[in-house]
Amino acid sequence: MSLSINDVYKVARLARLGVTEQEAQTAHAQLLTIFSLIAEMQAVDTNGIAPMSHAQDITQRLREDVVTEHNQRELFQAAAPQIKKGLYLVPQVIE
């Protein structure tokens, strides 16, 4: 992809950034480096390679899904100012 210094100024203007000529030249050089890296990566033949969700072949250890605490809803709701049918009642804030 080709990128001109005018493109850098245009992007800076769209982003509402004030850039000096030196900053524009530096950004232009850095963006050209990034674009060349992208072009190099796109040139790699990836046919026959399956997509991966992670760079390393690892899995997360999962624990058994068991209840570790008993239900304490009545204890917690005892301190609530208002409850109805097991639900907390709060003042209406949106009309």
Side-chain angles (χ1 to χ4, degrees):
M1 177 177 184
S2 65
L3 180 75
S4 70
I5 193 70
N6 290 333
D7 294 330
V8 174
Y9 283 120
K10 183 177 179 181
V11 170
R13 185 179 53 79
L14 290 172
R16 302 206 186 278
L17 298 174
V19 293
T20 64
E21 186 176 338
Q22 180 60 38
E23 290 171 334
Q25 293 292 337
T26 302
H28 182 251
Q30 291 173 343
L31 288 170
L32 286 177
T33 303
I34 292 169
F35 290 158
S36 67
L37 178 61
I38 291 171
E40 185 179 329
M41 291 182 351
Q42 287 178 335
V44 174
D45 181 22
T46 57
N47 290 330
I49 298 175
M52 300 173 13
S53 62
H54 195 276
Q56 297 177 345
D57 189 22
I58 59 174
T59 57
Q60 182 176 357
R61 293 179 294 170
L62 301 176
R63 63 174 170 78
E64 187 178 341
D65 191 15
V66 295
V67 176
T68 58
E69 296 185 18
H70 61 282
N71 185 358
Q72 298 182 11
R73 181 172 62 179
E74 288 79 18
L75 175 66
F76 296 144
Q77 288 186 342
Q82 291 182 306
I83 56 169
K84 183 177 180 181
K85 296 182 182 178
L87 301 174
Y88 294 95
L89 298 179
V90 296
Q92 181 176 346
V93 294
I94 299 176
E95 295 185 29

